[in-house]
Amino acid sequence: MKWLMGLVTQSIITWNEMKKTFLDRCLDYCMPTNHKDQVFKMMQREDENLEDLIERFNYNFEKSKNG
């Protein structure tokens, strides 16, 4: 909440920008260290639509390339 309230006004314009910024900032706290394993073991969650699965896959794939 502190991070959210500290954002500069108008620094994020769209929901997609907010989503990406939030995930870039906070998702690392929830992800295992070895992202390559996470990419290959990914399964669609019951409450997850295909678009969200693909977004999560792309995020994990990029992390595996960079780390």
Side-chain angles (χ1 to χ4, degrees):
M1 185 57 104
K2 185 178 179 180
W3 167 80
L4 180 62
M5 299 308 287
L7 289 174
V8 176
T9 304
Q10 300 293 320
S11 63
I12 297 175
I13 306 299
T14 67
W15 175 248
N16 283 335
E17 287 176 332
M18 173 56 106
K19 189 166 49 171
K20 181 179 180 342
T21 302
F22 176 81
L23 291 175
D24 287 347
R25 168 88 176 154
C26 300
L27 197 60
D28 283 339
Y29 296 107
C30 303
M31 297 295 291
T33 315
N34 190 340
H35 295 286
K36 289 179 184 176
D37 284 345
Q38 186 70 18
V39 170
F40 291 110
K41 293 179 182 178
M42 283 184 61
M43 295 182 68
Q44 187 172 6
R45 299 174 186 145
E46 279 187 41
D47 62 340
E48 184 176 44
N49 63 37
L50 184 57
E51 182 179 324
D52 291 341
L53 172 65
I54 291 170
E55 183 175 323
R56 191 165 53 95
F57 176 85
N58 287 333
Y59 178 85
N60 288 331
F61 183 71
E62 288 301 316
K63 286 297 245 184
S64 74
K65 291 190 321 186
N66 298 327

